[in-house]
């Protein structure tokens, strides 16, 4: 498929465990974004990459959240020592070039549940 | 503080009953306003981008319009398959964060047959 691919689609973890969420953006898209969406809310910005450079991580809720995109394509969002408040849908989006007004295209997200 | 407000929160229509969804924003330096459709368990699907006041975009039964303070998503003769949550997002201009979408909470549209 040509869209943004995220895995796993669902993740259940116990409080205190570490989790890793993967995003495979649209081929050729320079910019990659992570958003967090709570139930009944719109997505909220977490972090932004242009190629392999993380240009903005201001939305990451705490230092337990870490994102990387080492080769400028696939990205991983890692959450250490998960807490119940981390339960949400994590959405990845990509665009051809981030610092323009081109639309961001979203994957279907990873639904994370922390028990 | 920049803010995006969507109304109503939920809307029920009969098939064929036209209506409008509202997105009002209090931001400075708008670079673009985006409409997305989100189905349950799916990510937001891009519909339209509007760049300046007075602009209109159309796609099938949907038409989006933009003024200096708000955007409307008009739905003409809706069908049950138009049922979804419609999200509005703004992109700010200027330096710093001119890539970060700020979303409203969405309008849950249900179209009954």
């Amino acid at each position: 498929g040509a869209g943004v691919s995220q895995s796993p689609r669902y993740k259940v973890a116990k409080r205190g465990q570490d989790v890793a969420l993967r995003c495979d953006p649209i081929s050729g898209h320079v910019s990659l974004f992570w958003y967090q969406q709570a139930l009944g809310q719109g997505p909220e910005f977490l972090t932004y990459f242009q190629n392999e450079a993380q240009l903005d991580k201001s939305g990451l809720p705490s230092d337990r959240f870490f994102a990387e995109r080492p080769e400028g394509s696939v990205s991983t969002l890692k959450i250490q020592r998960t807490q119940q408040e981390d339960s949400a849908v994590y959405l990845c989006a990509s665009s051809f070039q981030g610092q323009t007004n081109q639309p961001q295209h979203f994957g279907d997200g990873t639904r994370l549940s922390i028990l | 503080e920049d803010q995006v407000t969507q109304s109503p929160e939920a809307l029920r229509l009969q098939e064929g009953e036209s209506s409008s969804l509202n997105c009002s924003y209090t931001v400075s330096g708008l670079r673009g306003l985006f409409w997305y459709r989100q189905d349950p368990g799916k990510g937001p699907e891009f519909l339209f981008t509007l760049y300046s006041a007075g602009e209109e975009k159309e796609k099938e039964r949907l038409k989006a319009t933009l003024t200096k303070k708000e955007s409307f998503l008009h739905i003409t003769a809706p069908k049950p398959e138009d049922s979804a949550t419609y999200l509005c997002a703004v992109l700010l201009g200027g330096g710093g964060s001119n890539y970060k979408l700020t979303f409203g909470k969405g309008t849950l549209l249900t179209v009954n047959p």
Side-chain angles (χ1 to χ4, degrees), chain A residues 57-69:
Chain A
K57 54 181 181 179
S58 63
L60 296 177
S62 75
D63 58 8
R64 296 185 295 104
F65 287 70
F66 171 76
E68 60 183 5
R69 193 186 185 197

Side-chain angles (χ1 to χ4, degrees), chain A residues 40-91:
Chain A
Q41 304 293 314
E44 291 193 357
F45 172 82
L46 294 177
T47 188
Y48 162 53
F49 289 86
Q50 186 164 314
N51 295 305
E52 68 279 2
Q54 188 175 22
L55 299 186
D56 187 340
K57 54 181 181 179
S58 63
L60 296 177
S62 75
D63 58 8
R64 296 185 295 104
F65 287 70
F66 171 76
E68 60 183 5
R69 193 186 185 197
E71 297 178 358
S73 55
V74 171
S75 177
T76 304
L77 177 66
K78 298 179 179 178
I79 310 174
Q80 298 177 324
R81 304 180 304 281
T82 52
Q83 304 291 320
Q84 284 194 323
E85 61 262 29
D86 300 335
S87 296
V89 175
Y90 291 85
L91 294 165

Side-chain angles (χ1 to χ4, degrees), chain B residues 19-42:
Chain B
S19 188
S20 296
L21 313 183
N22 177 263
C23 172
S24 63
Y25 56 92
T26 56
V27 301
S28 55
L30 182 76
R31 284 194 71 176
L33 185 140
F34 299 79
W35 282 98
Y36 286 85
R37 169 191 171 128
Q38 187 171 29
D39 292 299
K42 300 288 189 179

